[in-house]
Structure formats: C-alpha cells, structure tokens
Amino acid sequence: MSAIKLTIDGQEIEVAPGTTILEAARQLGIDIPTFCQDPELPPNGACRICVVEVEKARALVASCVAPVGPDMVVYTESERVINARKNNLGLMLANHPLDCITCEKTGTCKLQDYCYQYGVATSEFEGEVKNLPYDDTNEFFYRDMNKCILCGICVGKCQLVVGAGAIDFTKRGFVTNVSAGFEDPIEESSCVFCGMCIDNCPVGALIPKYVTGKGRPWQTESVPSVCPYCSLGCNINLHVKDNEVIEVSPVKESPVNRGHLCVQGKFGWDFIHSGDRVTAPLVKSDGVFVEVSWEEALDYIVDNIKEVQTRYGADALMGLSSPKASNEDSYLFQKLIRSLGTNNVDSYSKHCHASSVNGMMDAFGNAATTNSIDEIAATDAVLVIGANPAETHPILDYRVREAARNGAKLIVAAPEMIGLVDVSTGYLPLKQGTELALLNAMANVIINEGLHDQAFIDNRTEGFDQLKKAVEKYTPEYVAGITGLDEQEILSAARAYASAEKAVILSDAAVSNKIGAADFVRALANLAMLTGNVGKESAGVYLPYGENNLQGMADMGALPNVATGYQHLGEEAVREKFSKAWGVKISDEPGMTAAEAFADGKNSRIKAMYIMGENPVACGGDQADLVQFLSNLDFLVVQDIFMTETASLADVILPASAFAEKLGTYTNTERRVQLNQPALEPPGEVYPDWAVLVELAEWFGFEWDYVGPEEVFDEIASLTPDYSGMSYRRLVEQGLQWPCPADDHPGTKYLHQNSFSRGKGLFAGVDYKPEALQMDEGHAAECCATGVHSCQCLSETLTRRSVISAFKKGCCV
C-alpha cells in the first residue's frame, strides 16, 4: 500500500500504513507523553495520557493505539488535549502518595515530570485511596504498590520479554493491583530478579534497595561500563557518588543487550565494595601474610622467579591469565611470561571450553560464535540443544523469545523442561547425553528428504560424503530408541530446522565439560553447513562462554601455542614478528596447558607459577590434588581482588583492580570489542593491573614505556590483523566486531560470509557413543542444561560477596 499523508501540529508527514499517531509524531520530533507505551510491548492504551485531538473526530484518541489515516489532521497540545491530560494526572494523584520530597524516584519520575509540565500540583478528586503493605521482604528492591499507576509495563516485560511470568494484574476495578500469584511475596514467585520491571517503572513503585538514601540522580555520575559476568558483555551504566557505585542501569541503546539485564548485571556488581578486598601487597612469612610495600613485593617476585628459572630452566615458570581480565591485561601478561623465555601461558577456565573450541576450529577454522546476538530475533527457526539460556545467558533467552513472538519455529531439545519450552513449537525431551544421536538423526532426515543445500555444500564445504555415510544408520526409528523420543518428533524437528530460510543453533560452550563434546560441536556445525545456515545474517551457531572475556583472553594470545589473533607460534615467521616487536627472543618450545601442568602433579616441570585473577582450587577438578600441586611449587604469585582459596596458598599476593576501577577493553561472544571506562578510584594501594604488569616488567629489566592502556591497545592492533582497524576512539560508542582490518572498516556482523576461516567448511562423521557424553569425573562442573554454568560457578569468587548470593540461579562466578 502507498504511504499515508497526514498533518500533525501543522507539519505534514508521510508514513507507512499501520503506523500509529504516536509513532508518526515521534518521527517529526513531537513529544507526546506516555506511561504505558513501550516499543517492545503491544500497545494497550491503558494510561490515556497520550490522547490527542483528531480533526472531525468526536472524542480524543489514544495516540499509542490509533492508526494514522489519509489526510488526518492531528493536534497534540490543543486546549482540549491539555485539559484531558490534566484530568488524567489529577485522577492518578488522587490515589498516589505525595511524598515526592523523600521519594527515591524524584528526578526520574514520569508522573512528577508530567505534573510539572501541565501545572498539576494537587488533585481535585477525593475518595478512597489504596493502602497496600510496603514490601521489603526480598533482597533486591522495595515494592510500594500504592505508587503504582497500573501502566502494565512491568507485567508486559515479565510475561513477554523475560518469560518469567512472576507478576500480573490481580483483582479488578479500584482494587486492581500488580503482584505475584495469590499476592504471594515476590521472592516466592518465579521472579528471576532481572530488574527489568525496576528499570522501566515510570514512578517510584519499585526501588533498588542499594540506592536508597545514597543520593539523588542529579548527584551521581553515570559511567559507561561492561558487565563483568557472562560472555555476552552487556552494556551498563554505573551510577557513582562519592567513589561508590550506588546503582546500575542498562544501556538502552546498546546493540548487545538493548536495555535488558539479568540478576547478575543488575544487582551483582556490589562485590567491588566488599570488605574482603585485598588492598595492599602481601608476602607470606612463617605461614602468615604480612603487608609489604610494592617495591618489596616486586623485588621478592623477581628474585624468586629468576632463582627458579636459573635452577630449572625458563620453562619451569607458568602463567595463568584470567577470562575476567581486560584485553590489555591479558596481552601484557602473556607478553611478560613469553619475555621471560617460556610459552607456558594459559587459563584454567579455558579448559572448560576446550572441546567446544576444538570442534568449531576443526569445522570452521574459527572458534567464535558466528553471528551477532541481536540477529537471533530476526531468524526463522531456532534449535536450542545442550543449553538453558534462561539460566546461563538470559539475554539470549530474551532474543529467542522475541524470535518466537515474530513467528520463528522454536525447537527445544532438553532432558528437562527448561524455560523456553513454554514458547516452543516443538519440545524434544530426550535422554541426558543423547544429543549427538539426535543431531545425527536430523542430518539423516535432511539428507534423505533432500532438504539440504546442495549448492552451499558443493561450493563452500568438503567432507560431505563422509558425513552422508556416517549418518546413514541414524534413522529416526533407530535414534528414537536411543533418545526416548517419538520418531515423528525427530522428523518434525529436522524438517522445521531445514525448511527455514534462516536458522540458528543455540548451544553452550560449557557442554565441553563433558567428555567427547568436540564431536557434539562438530555435529552442530554439520547441521548448520548441511542447510547453508552459516555465513549469512540471522543464522549460524551460537556457543557462548561462561566468562565475560574468555574470547578476548584467547584473542590476546594467553594460550600456550598462539600469539594474538591466533597467530601460531609454531611458525618461525610469527615468532620473528613478535620477537622483533617486543625486543626479546620468543621461545620455539611449545607451551604447556594448565590441564597438563596440573595433571603431572608432583612430577610437573612447573616450579613457579604466576596466577592473575584465576581461582583453580575452587573451580573444579580434584581439589586436594590442586592444593597439593600449588603448595609444592617453589614459588607462587597470585594477583587477585580477594583472598581466594588459591591466593591463600601463594607466597606473594598482589592486589588487583576490579572492572569498575580500570580503563580497558573486553571482547564478548559476538566478537564485539568494547571499551570499559573507569568509574572508581581503587581502594588502598591497589593499582590497575596493566600498571602492575608494566612495573613488574621493568623490575625484570624490560623497557616497557606504556603510559596507559590505550597505548597497549594500539600495540595489540598493530600486531593483530583482526583488530588492526580498531582504536579507543572508534570503540567509544558501541564497540566494533572483529575482523576489523582497516580504520574505515565497520566491523564484521557475522562470520564466514564468503569463505570459512579455514577455506572450506569441513563436515565430520561423528559417531554417538553412550559413554562419550557422560560427565568427566575429574571435573566437578555439570552440563549447562542443568543451569550450572562452568567451573567458575563453583568458585563463586564474586557472587558470594554480592547480594545475589541470595539468588542461586545461573552462572555464579
């Protein structure tokens, strides 16, 4: 249909059919007040504050629900409209506490703003008022439902966006309220404490507890930051007063989280103010830690590491970096370890995901999630298998729900009823550990029914014949007996996925906690390549990590075999490149992984270890063996923000800076490199980690002359092709996704558009073995499908020192 022309406040505009008056007005820059309108929710016209006058119409119309019409003439601030809005505001004030002087919402309250705008100071309406109990029973926020104006945004967000369904309208008429079922306490409901209701409440009905009495909005400074928990890297604002974070809010313009958070992002930041912080260097003397000066600590470290290397050789040293460290910190850390003559640099957390990384590398030549987070919402089909995003990566769960609302087919394969089942078009309750058999069966159906993309297979892949032969026996009938599913369920799932123009597979990198997970990941890649669902928008394979910067840590070369950007140190040209850039000789000896070092126990060649931000003792494996290994080291340095189980075994502890205290970059699961701004001055004698590493390098005799993390990042970009077009200046707004090879390159939204990183994608014939996907008894983590996410969950280094320790769901790092 052709565009519709209308006039609003004397301005002509043409808009598409179906556009509401409110939307058309906003296109003209005309601000119409709203309470209940939200772009993510269906319009409902509940509050009536957005009424406008339409010429020749008998009554005023709610602009948020009224569609435009040809030659319509609209007045948004006529006398009639203003009087109606004043009456509506007066009706609200008649049943609203007027405690604005002490209300925490003052300064950001829409009701207060509109009353000021229209000169409504009191209400002329009198009568009964609500007297609901003040709810302060949960750990996170206060609920004063006497201030609720029944706009319904919190209900819509909870029901549609989050899918928790914790609250709804209860009762009717004057006594209508918003509450949990049967008006039970919110903490006894299905609430996931994501805080979305708080962030979108237009009045003071919902107030975070931590902010109460700490300061007015205009007294705080808002500092952009990146959430320190999972690998999605949600953008947050830290609201700071007197060197204290008093509240966190989501960045609504963020392409990553679009104004959404989970319980960790909204409430899990308070660990930075914990009294458990290590605030000065500590050296163990006669079994007791004693505070020392930085000079004493650094001198002690240098002497002991040199002594170990003189005695046992350069490779007696090992460094463990952290997926919580910034890119700059991890880069300098691996540079220091390699400058000391060894490639023994790794991360203990990394091995939780090693199988997933290997599977993706084998198939695509690249271990990163293929597509952007936001693309999920526009896909035509989603297969969720080996994952429970509602508990491990809630923002992904929100995007899958959005895709389902937009009409996408959603297939959920899980041993138990996970959150997404309620909006799925197909639920496959398969037996635990039989996921690989199901994937092979889907491949079998797709090939036998001719649903595969032969052109994509011929042009972009290799190994198809091997796959075809490998899945021949995995008929729906055969796999039904393995998985416990009905044969028709398998057929329907395969057809739904393969028939979609764009299809997404969502799993979880923590599946690699199980033996044989590389085969499982290869099977995911098989399915995506088989249907041509790689290298295009709103398709691909999503394997998010548990830790916020595991992707960046790997990108920075904190691995035993590669430098930055996965440049393999087995190649002489790569070693020469970095030797020249750093002014040191890079060893040609392959580095040792953390798993190998710990597995060797007493016989390990590692005699000294520098651990930055890792807590392997509490992360899993055999704790007694880990404690014994670390205790038997000749020398152990731990750099961390807390006295962790691992730090307690150290000879020297260096205090580390928290995410809110340092400038630096982090790379999330969609390869988006994001700039984190410092919001606080570190406590005590704590310095930014990059500065500690630079100082330590100088004590070792290396001439590092960085004056700040920006110079470190510039060096990273100069040595790393995928980062070479990036700079702090370009990252300030919304970050950039690698590959970004030039200064004018916009970044890469999705990978493998024209070719795979390895050239052609590689199919693999992987066989289901009943014992292959059982839990590794040597590692204490569980499959993410249970909601327990990776080894970091077991350490709870951050969450046990946060209010969210009261809410044991999801990734607890």
Side-chain angles (χ1 to χ4, degrees):
M1 295 178 64
S2 58
I4 294 176
K5 182 184 293 185
L6 70 156
T7 303
I8 305 177
D9 292 346
Q11 300 183 62
E12 288 191 354
I13 187 173
E14 289 188 0
V15 295
T19 303
T20 65
I21 295 174
L22 177 63
E23 291 168 337
R26 285 180 173 172
Q27 289 183 35
L28 287 170
I30 297 172
D31 182 33
I32 296 176
T34 61
F35 284 119
C36 68
Q37 190 273 339
D38 186 277
E40 289 189 317
L41 304 177
N44 62 13
C47 69
R48 316 303 289 182
I49 196 69
C50 70
V51 292
V52 295
E53 184 175 358
V54 177
E55 203 170 80
K56 299 180 182 178
R58 287 192 307 166
L60 300 179
V61 299
S63 62
C64 69
V65 294
V68 298
D71 301 320
M72 181 181 277
V73 179
V74 179
Y75 304 98
T76 69
E77 289 284 337
S78 67
E79 183 178 355
R80 189 179 172 196
V81 167
I82 291 173
N83 287 334
R85 289 179 184 161
K86 286 182 176 181
N87 281 333
N88 285 338
L89 291 169
L91 287 167
M92 291 180 185
L93 287 186
N95 196 25
H96 193 89
L98 298 179
D99 60 348
C100 300
I101 293 176
T102 57
C103 181
E104 293 290 344
K105 195 72 174 183
T106 294
T108 57
C109 174
K110 274 192 170 186
L111 179 59
Q112 191 179 87
D113 291 344
Y114 293 152
C115 285
Y116 180 85
Q117 179 178 343
Y118 291 104
V120 179
T122 58
S123 176
E124 60 187 50
F125 303 103
E126 296 182 0
E128 186 180 354
V129 297
K130 291 186 290 187
N131 187 22
L132 297 169
Y134 187 76
D135 181 6
D136 64 351
T137 56
N138 75 82
E139 296 288 336
F140 303 103
F141 60 97
Y142 299 110
R143 299 174 71 244
D144 185 354
M145 302 316 291
N146 295 302
K147 294 181 179 180
C148 175
I149 60 173
L150 300 176
C151 69
I153 289 181
C154 60
V155 173
K157 296 286 188 181
C158 188
Q159 299 278 358
L160 295 178
V161 178
V162 181
I167 54 174
D168 206 340
F169 291 107
T170 59
K171 300 182 180 179
R172 301 178 67 181
F174 176 76
V175 292
T176 299
N177 190 23
V178 173
S179 71
F182 306 103
E183 299 192 338
D184 287 341
I186 195 71
E187 64 272 20
E188 295 178 13
S189 72
S190 56
C191 179
V192 294
F193 297 100
C194 63
M196 207 176 294
C197 55
I198 301 169
D199 293 325
N200 289 278
C201 181
V203 292
L206 305 169
I207 298 294
K209 283 189 172 181
Y210 200 92
V211 72
T212 305
K214 295 291 183 70
R216 297 295 199 182
W218 58 85
Q219 295 175 318
T220 65
E221 178 187 4
S222 180
V223 181
S225 188
V226 182
C227 177
Y229 283 95
C230 83
S231 63
L232 301 193
C234 292
N235 299 138
I236 56 178
N237 288 315
L238 303 178
H239 301 277
V240 180
K241 183 175 183 287
D242 299 330
N243 203 44
E244 180 183 8
V245 176
I246 64 172
E247 189 180 8
V248 164
S249 63
V251 177
K252 292 192 174 182
E253 302 77 21
S254 167
V256 177
N257 54 307
R258 283 200 268 129
H260 301 156
L261 290 176
C262 70
V263 63
Q264 284 134 321
K266 180 63 180 175
F267 296 108
W269 45 268
D270 53 327
F271 67 85
I272 58 181
H273 297 305
S274 169
D276 291 347
R277 290 287 299 271
V278 176
T279 58
L282 303 172
V283 170
K284 189 175 285 182
S285 176
D286 296 325
V288 178
F289 284 109
V290 178
E291 284 193 14
V292 298
S293 68
W294 273 100
E295 291 78 9
E296 290 175 290
L298 296 178
D299 188 50
Y300 190 56
I301 291 169
V302 171
D303 286 348
N304 278 272
I305 288 180
K306 283 184 175 180
E307 181 181 343
V308 166
Q309 290 191 307
T310 299
R311 189 174 176 185
Y312 300 105
D315 287 325
L317 171 67
M318 184 169 203
L320 295 185
S321 187
S322 169
K324 293 291 174 197
S326 70
N327 288 330
E328 292 78 3
D329 296 340
S330 281
Y331 172 79
L332 290 180
F333 185 80
Q334 61 90 31
K335 179 178 178 179
L336 176 61
I337 299 299
R338 288 195 161 100
S339 296
L340 291 170
T342 181
N343 287 314
N344 294 333
V345 59
D346 199 13
S347 162
Y348 190 74
S349 296
K350 183 267 302 180
H351 89 272
C352 298
H353 308 292
S355 294
S356 294
V357 169
N358 293 338
M360 292 281 275
M361 287 289 291
D362 290 343
F364 300 151
N366 187 303
T369 284
T370 61
N371 290 60
S372 302
I373 295 166
D374 214 35
E375 292 177 42
I376 295 174
T379 195
D380 299 316
V382 183
L383 170 62
V384 177
I385 182 168
N388 186 0
E391 296 202 1
T392 59
H393 299 90
I395 303 303
L396 292 182
D397 186 86
Y398 305 161
R399 296 298 168 267
V400 173
R401 289 179 177 276
E402 186 176 356
R405 292 199 302 274
N406 292 338
K409 297 174 183 177
L410 173 58
I411 308 117
V412 177
E416 53 191 38
M417 294 276 289
I418 67 171
L420 286 170
V421 171
D422 64 331
V423 292
S424 66
T425 51
Y427 170 47
L428 282 65
L430 77 173
K431 294 177 183 177
Q432 181 79 44
T434 63
E435 292 88 349
L436 177 54
L438 173 61
L439 293 169
N440 278 347
M442 292 178 67
N444 173 288
V445 173
I446 291 168
I447 293 171
N448 288 338
E449 296 190 359
L451 300 175
H452 53 296
D453 187 336
Q454 193 63 53
F456 183 90
I457 293 168
D458 292 341
N459 296 326
R460 299 284 310 276
T461 70
E462 56 188 351
F464 175 65
D465 288 340
Q466 289 90 329
L467 172 68
K468 186 176 180 180
K469 183 177 181 180
V471 300
E472 280 180 357
K473 70 176 183 179
Y474 291 94
T475 63
E477 181 181 13
Y478 171 64
V479 172
I482 296 172
T483 60
L485 298 173
D486 183 86
E487 182 180 344
Q488 190 58 47
E489 291 176 315
I490 299 172
L491 286 165
S492 297
R495 291 165 182 164
Y497 175 80
S499 61
E501 183 178 341
K502 299 170 293 184
V504 159
I505 298 175
L506 174 58
S507 191
D508 196 300
V511 77
S512 63
N513 292 337
K514 298 184 284 185
I515 298 174
D519 285 347
F520 170 75
V521 174
R522 292 299 302 272
L524 297 177
N526 286 341
L527 212 57
M529 291 188 290
L530 196 58
T531 54
N533 276 303
V534 192
K536 63 183 181 182
E537 193 167 0
S538 295
V541 179
Y542 289 75
L543 279 172
Y545 300 121
E547 296 81 9
N548 67 317
N549 202 39
L550 195 145
Q551 182 70 61
M553 183 197 70
D555 292 350
M556 295 302 102
L559 299 170
N561 59 340
V562 296
T564 64
Y566 312 97
Q567 300 171 82
H568 207 286
L569 289 167
E571 299 176 14
E572 185 176 353
V574 173
R575 294 196 303 274
E576 289 181 357
K577 170 183 176 179
F578 283 89
S579 295
K580 181 179 179 181
W582 294 348
V584 296
K585 179 176 174 56
I586 304 298
S587 172
D588 58 3
E589 287 292 321
M592 180 181 286
T593 67
E596 290 170 341
F598 287 123
D600 287 345
K602 293 180 181 179
N603 299 319
S604 178
R605 64 178 178 175
I606 303 301
K607 304 301 179 183
M609 190 170 278
Y610 185 174
I611 301 177
M612 182 178 74
E614 290 270 52
N615 188 10
V617 171
C619 274
D622 190 312
Q623 189 177 53
D625 286 349
L626 285 167
V627 169
Q628 184 179 31
F629 171 83
L630 293 171
S631 300
N632 287 338
L633 290 171
D634 286 18
F635 192 65
L636 175 62
V637 182
V638 172
Q639 186 168 319
D640 213 323
I641 62 176
F642 297 120
M643 176 66 75
T644 65
E645 292 85 348
T646 301
S648 68
L649 304 174
D651 296 291
V652 179
I653 301 175
L654 300 179
S657 51
F659 80 102
E661 299 160 357
K662 58 185 178 184
L663 177 67
T665 60
Y666 298 85
T667 307
N668 75 351
T669 196
E670 64 176 10
R671 298 162 286 102
R672 186 180 298 275
V673 183
Q674 303 185 103
L675 185 62
N676 182 83
Q677 300 285 355
L680 306 171
E681 290 294 326
E685 295 182 54
V686 177
Y687 293 95
D689 297 80
W690 70 267
V692 173
L693 291 165
V694 169
E695 186 71 16
L696 183 56
E698 291 180 356
W699 278 71
F700 273 111
F702 304 118
E703 296 182 3
W704 290 10
D705 56 358
Y706 308 104
V707 296
E710 185 170 6
E711 284 193 347
V712 180
F713 189 84
D714 289 343
E715 181 172 304
I716 293 168
S718 71
L719 295 169
T720 313
D722 284 342
Y723 280 64
S724 59
M726 298 184 189
S727 63
Y728 274 20
R729 175 184 58 80
R730 296 194 67 199
L731 296 177
V732 165
E733 293 299 322
Q734 296 184 333
L736 289 165
Q737 293 168 272
W738 64 258
C740 181
D743 291 343
D744 58 352
H745 193 281
T748 304
K749 188 173 183 179
Y750 54 90
L751 295 174
H752 317 305
Q753 182 174 4
N754 298 312
S755 66
F756 288 96
S757 299
R758 68 179 303 279
K760 286 192 172 185
L762 180 64
F763 285 109
V766 289
D767 201 23
Y768 164 74
K769 300 178 182 66
E771 71 279 5
L773 288 178
Q774 301 304 312
M775 289 306 305
D776 179 355
E777 293 180 0
H779 193 274
E782 299 179 39
C783 171
C784 60
T786 67
V788 181
H789 198 335
S790 184
C791 62
Q792 283 275 3
C793 185
L794 300 177
S795 91
E796 297 185 352
T797 300
L798 305 185
T799 54
R800 84 175 72 154
R801 297 171 173 89
S802 166
V803 68
I804 66 172
S805 61
F807 185 68
K808 293 290 186 180
K809 286 188 179 181
C811 179
C812 305
V813 296

PDB file of all heavy atoms in Angstrom, residues 355 436 514-521 772-773:
ATOM      1  N   SER A 355      36.986 -28.366  24.396  1.00  0.00           N
ATOM      2  CA  SER A 355      36.394 -29.247  23.388  1.00  0.00           C
ATOM      3  C   SER A 355      35.527 -28.464  22.412  1.00  0.00           C
ATOM      4  O   SER A 355      35.532 -28.723  21.209  1.00  0.00           O
ATOM      5  CB  SER A 355      35.577 -30.347  24.065  1.00  0.00           C
ATOM      6  OG  SER A 355      36.406 -31.202  24.811  1.00  0.00           O
ATOM      7  N   LEU A 436      23.955 -35.969  20.672  1.00  0.00           N
ATOM      8  CA  LEU A 436      24.689 -36.238  19.433  1.00  0.00           C
ATOM      9  C   LEU A 436      23.906 -37.185  18.527  1.00  0.00           C
ATOM     10  O   LEU A 436      23.863 -36.996  17.305  1.00  0.00           O
ATOM     11  CB  LEU A 436      26.065 -36.820  19.758  1.00  0.00           C
ATOM     12  CG  LEU A 436      26.954 -37.221  18.574  1.00  0.00           C
ATOM     13  CD1 LEU A 436      27.126 -36.066  17.602  1.00  0.00           C
ATOM     14  CD2 LEU A 436      28.310 -37.707  19.065  1.00  0.00           C
ATOM     15  N   LYS A 514      31.965 -32.024  29.289  1.00  0.00           N
ATOM     16  CA  LYS A 514      31.693 -33.449  29.148  1.00  0.00           C
ATOM     17  C   LYS A 514      32.654 -34.057  28.146  1.00  0.00           C
ATOM     18  O   LYS A 514      33.001 -33.462  27.142  1.00  0.00           O
ATOM     19  CB  LYS A 514      30.245 -33.656  28.681  1.00  0.00           C
ATOM     20  CG  LYS A 514      29.218 -33.132  29.671  1.00  0.00           C
ATOM     21  CD  LYS A 514      27.804 -33.432  29.246  1.00  0.00           C
ATOM     22  CE  LYS A 514      27.329 -32.542  28.142  1.00  0.00           C
ATOM     23  NZ  LYS A 514      25.922 -32.735  27.801  1.00  0.00           N
ATOM     24  N   ILE A 515      33.079 -35.274  28.427  1.00  0.00           N
ATOM     25  CA  ILE A 515      33.997 -35.973  27.528  1.00  0.00           C
ATOM     26  C   ILE A 515      33.339 -36.143  26.165  1.00  0.00           C
ATOM     27  O   ILE A 515      32.160 -36.464  26.056  1.00  0.00           O
ATOM     28  CB  ILE A 515      34.370 -37.340  28.115  1.00  0.00           C
ATOM     29  CG1 ILE A 515      35.105 -37.157  29.449  1.00  0.00           C
ATOM     30  CG2 ILE A 515      35.222 -38.136  27.156  1.00  0.00           C
ATOM     31  CD1 ILE A 515      35.375 -38.447  30.174  1.00  0.00           C
ATOM     32  N   GLY A 516      34.089 -35.947  25.110  1.00  0.00           N
ATOM     33  CA  GLY A 516      33.566 -36.157  23.763  1.00  0.00           C
ATOM     34  C   GLY A 516      32.784 -34.995  23.219  1.00  0.00           C
ATOM     35  O   GLY A 516      32.139 -35.116  22.176  1.00  0.00           O
ATOM     36  N   ALA A 517      32.813 -33.840  23.895  1.00  0.00           N
ATOM     37  CA  ALA A 517      31.992 -32.722  23.463  1.00  0.00           C
ATOM     38  C   ALA A 517      32.429 -32.148  22.129  1.00  0.00           C
ATOM     39  O   ALA A 517      31.636 -31.512  21.448  1.00  0.00           O
ATOM     40  CB  ALA A 517      31.997 -31.625  24.518  1.00  0.00           C
ATOM     41  N   ALA A 518      33.692 -32.329  21.739  1.00  0.00           N
ATOM     42  CA  ALA A 518      34.129 -31.839  20.427  1.00  0.00           C
ATOM     43  C   ALA A 518      33.304 -32.478  19.318  1.00  0.00           C
ATOM     44  O   ALA A 518      32.947 -31.818  18.334  1.00  0.00           O
ATOM     45  CB  ALA A 518      35.615 -32.125  20.223  1.00  0.00           C
ATOM     46  N   ASP A 519      32.964 -33.755  19.465  1.00  0.00           N
ATOM     47  CA  ASP A 519      32.121 -34.422  18.473  1.00  0.00           C
ATOM     48  C   ASP A 519      30.724 -33.804  18.445  1.00  0.00           C
ATOM     49  O   ASP A 519      30.120 -33.644  17.380  1.00  0.00           O
ATOM     50  CB  ASP A 519      32.015 -35.921  18.773  1.00  0.00           C
ATOM     51  CG  ASP A 519      33.273 -36.679  18.401  1.00  0.00           C
ATOM     52  OD1 ASP A 519      34.123 -36.105  17.704  1.00  0.00           O
ATOM     53  OD2 ASP A 519      33.402 -37.844  18.812  1.00  0.00           O
ATOM     54  N   PHE A 520      30.211 -33.483  19.607  1.00  0.00           N
ATOM     55  CA  PHE A 520      28.896 -32.842  19.685  1.00  0.00           C
ATOM     56  C   PHE A 520      28.909 -31.507  18.938  1.00  0.00           C
ATOM     57  O   PHE A 520      28.003 -31.200  18.160  1.00  0.00           O
ATOM     58  CB  PHE A 520      28.516 -32.630  21.154  1.00  0.00           C
ATOM     59  CG  PHE A 520      27.294 -31.771  21.366  1.00  0.00           C
ATOM     60  CD1 PHE A 520      26.023 -32.268  21.123  1.00  0.00           C
ATOM     61  CD2 PHE A 520      27.411 -30.465  21.806  1.00  0.00           C
ATOM     62  CE1 PHE A 520      24.906 -31.482  21.329  1.00  0.00           C
ATOM     63  CE2 PHE A 520      26.315 -29.671  22.012  1.00  0.00           C
ATOM     64  CZ  PHE A 520      25.047 -30.174  21.765  1.00  0.00           C
ATOM     65  N   VAL A 521      29.951 -30.716  19.157  1.00  0.00           N
ATOM     66  CA  VAL A 521      30.061 -29.421  18.487  1.00  0.00           C
ATOM     67  C   VAL A 521      30.235 -29.609  16.982  1.00  0.00           C
ATOM     68  O   VAL A 521      29.680 -28.856  16.179  1.00  0.00           O
ATOM     69  CB  VAL A 521      31.209 -28.590  19.092  1.00  0.00           C
ATOM     70  CG1 VAL A 521      31.420 -27.306  18.315  1.00  0.00           C
ATOM     71  CG2 VAL A 521      30.925 -28.287  20.555  1.00  0.00           C
ATOM     72  N   ALA A 772      30.247 -41.421  25.767  1.00  0.00           N
ATOM     73  CA  ALA A 772      31.037 -40.255  25.357  1.00  0.00           C
ATOM     74  C   ALA A 772      30.590 -38.968  26.000  1.00  0.00           C
ATOM     75  O   ALA A 772      31.390 -38.096  26.285  1.00  0.00           O
ATOM     76  CB  ALA A 772      30.989 -40.112  23.836  1.00  0.00           C
ATOM     77  N   LEU A 773      29.290 -38.828  26.246  1.00  0.00           N
ATOM     78  CA  LEU A 773      28.807 -37.566  26.778  1.00  0.00           C
ATOM     79  C   LEU A 773      28.436 -37.655  28.247  1.00  0.00           C
ATOM     80  O   LEU A 773      27.586 -36.933  28.735  1.00  0.00           O
ATOM     81  CB  LEU A 773      27.600 -37.080  25.960  1.00  0.00           C
ATOM     82  CG  LEU A 773      27.953 -36.579  24.563  1.00  0.00           C
ATOM     83  CD1 LEU A 773      26.707 -36.173  23.808  1.00  0.00           C
ATOM     84  CD2 LEU A 773      28.922 -35.414  24.618  1.00  0.00           C
TER      85      LEU A 773
END
